[in-house]
Amino acid sequence: MRSSLPLAGLVLSLLALPGCNSDPAADNAKAPPRAEATDDNGADAMASRDPAPGTAATVTTADPQPRPVMQAQVVLERLGFGPGVVDGKLGISFTNALKGFQESRDLAVTGELDPATRGALVQWDNVPATRLVTIPKSWGKVAFTAIPEGAAAQAKLTQMGYETMAEKLAERFHTTPEVLAQLNLGGLPAGAAGGEAPSSPPAQATPGAARVPQLLPGQQLRVPNVGADRIDAAMVENREWLQTLRSLGVGTGQPDVARILVDETEGWLKAYDAKGRLAAMFTVTTGSQNDPLPIGDWAVKGVAYNPPFAFDPKLFWDVPDSAEPQRLPPGPNSPVGVVWIDLTKEHYGIHGTPSPDTIGRAQSHGCVRLTNWDAARLAQMVSGSTKVVFRR
């Protein structure tokens, strides 16, 4: 994790900005310092427990389905090639993750799980696609509040937090409430005695929507086996940011990157280390016809953790100018998610999102948008010397 990364150039006053129209305040953005890694995992009680290389995973209740795509997704994510939402499905984010892995291993870049790629991934075949977790009892104290429509109503909130426990769990395991429902049909983990047959379709609460089971503290669930969540708490000075990393299941052991390349046409972000090696790759959303991505060479100025959001309707083409400016509180459901990576291109940044399933599909207001967990991971890779290139 990078040390002494200033929020250089970010003013403290909440002036609304063009581009993404946000000005994260700097009072909560002090960068975590370098520290010697410890052996203790400061993640939550649901942290991953990967088997040692060449050994079988300890599984108490086996998953009745093999889920080969989800297994590849959780492995690729561990290696720094984010598949976006972990859902066991083929799609643009999974294709990009495969391309990143293939490039890093000098394989033919096909974007397919071809024989050569399967052979390169075989050493991680002992990492299961899913695992069982127990919802911590402390989650019973978490307040879940519906996010109202409209900036004026949202500005009255103290935090733009999670609306439901299902949403919080989905972000923790880099997936969606619908995938959790499919892995826990009838409210029981797939493979558990008394659960519905694994081939059963998801129960429907309303047409077209999977019914998410009631979730309670102490309940056991099957979840995607996302990893890379080891946290060295000594490396994180900002306590709120530490809690965010735990909430997202994002570890502190991230590589240092010297250059970021964002391709508007391809819809991906690549991060390279000082030797020019590809260290990470994520699918992103980049601009729109009304707010195009600013093509050119830029650099990272600083990082704001859990930033507030300055909403100025005059700077949004799709919002009436008659609306009033508002200051929206921070939180995972903020328009910029949990983190803002500020760039030397004034008013533009790289940030998270409250809608992870739209990454690579929906458009943004000019900035580069990632899932909250990918944005939190990238924020720990950059420094004030990281160069950023936007191209199309």
Side-chain angles (χ1 to χ4, degrees), residues 69-261:
V69 174
M70 183 175 288
Q71 196 275 339
Q73 287 176 329
V74 300
V75 170
L76 288 168
E77 187 174 72
R78 281 169 166 75
L79 299 175
F81 307 105
V85 170
V86 178
D87 56 7
K89 298 179 181 179
L90 302 176
I92 184 173
S93 295
F94 181 50
T95 297
N96 284 340
L98 286 169
K99 288 181 176 179
F101 175 76
Q102 290 163 343
E103 178 182 332
S104 72
R105 267 43 178 197
D106 294 323
L107 301 172
V109 180
T110 65
E112 298 179 359
L113 201 55
D114 51 38
T117 304
R118 291 180 187 275
L121 290 169
V122 72
Q123 61 183 301
W124 294 285
D125 276 356
N126 61 337
V127 176
T130 66
R131 69 176 184 264
L132 295 183
V133 300
T134 300
I135 302 175
K137 292 185 178 180
S138 61
W139 282 31
K141 301 177 182 178
V142 177
F144 299 105
T145 304
I147 304 295
E149 295 290 336
Q154 293 170 2
K156 296 178 181 178
L157 300 173
T158 58
Q159 184 183 34
M160 296 191 72
Y162 295 114
E163 296 187 274
T164 65
M165 186 174 291
E167 183 187 26
K168 180 175 172 65
L169 271 167
E171 285 253 309
R172 171 61 181 83
F173 295 103
H174 308 175
T175 190
T176 66
E178 289 72 26
V179 171
L180 292 179
Q182 293 165 16
L183 293 175
N184 299 276
L185 295 174
L188 291 174
E196 296 183 31
S199 59
S200 300
Q204 300 294 310
T206 57
R211 187 186 70 202
V212 179
Q214 182 181 10
L215 301 175
L216 299 171
Q219 183 175 351
Q220 189 178 61
L221 293 175
R222 186 171 296 282
V223 298
N225 187 26
V226 297
D229 56 4
R230 178 168 291 278
I231 293 176
D232 184 351
M235 296 179 67
V236 187
E237 186 176 84
N238 186 312
R239 295 296 96 181
E240 290 185 2
W241 181 240
L242 175 61
Q243 291 304 317
T244 297
L245 294 178
R246 287 172 173 161
S247 179
L248 293 172
V250 172
T252 52
Q254 306 299 335
D256 296 341
V257 298
R259 183 171 69 99
I260 289 173
L261 175 62

Side-chain angles (χ1 to χ4, degrees), residues 2-8 29-32 300-303 305 341 379 382-385:
R2 298 288 181 153
S3 62
S4 60
L5 181 63
L7 205 66
K30 189 173 182 180
V300 171
K301 290 172 65 178
V303 178
Y305 306 102
I341 301 173
V382 302
S383 73
S385 62

Side-chain angles (χ1 to χ4, degrees), residues 287-312:
S288 66
Q289 183 176 356
N290 293 281
D291 297 298
L293 185 72
I295 303 303
D297 297 341
W298 317 108
V300 171
K301 290 172 65 178
V303 178
Y305 306 102
N306 297 308
F309 181 81
F311 171 79
D312 186 343

Side-chain angles (χ1 to χ4, degrees), residues 323-374:
E324 294 291 330
Q326 303 290 342
R327 181 187 187 277
L328 306 187
N333 271 315
S334 161
V336 293
V338 300
V339 68
W340 171 275
I341 301 173
D342 193 47
L343 303 178
T344 51
K345 171 61 176 175
E346 189 175 10
H347 312 323
Y348 285 84
I350 302 172
H351 61 85
T353 181
S355 304
D357 56 329
T358 66
I359 295 300
R361 297 175 176 85
Q363 297 180 327
S364 76
H365 283 89
C367 294
V368 177
R369 181 155 47 96
L370 302 90
T371 64
N372 276 335
W373 53 86
D374 286 344

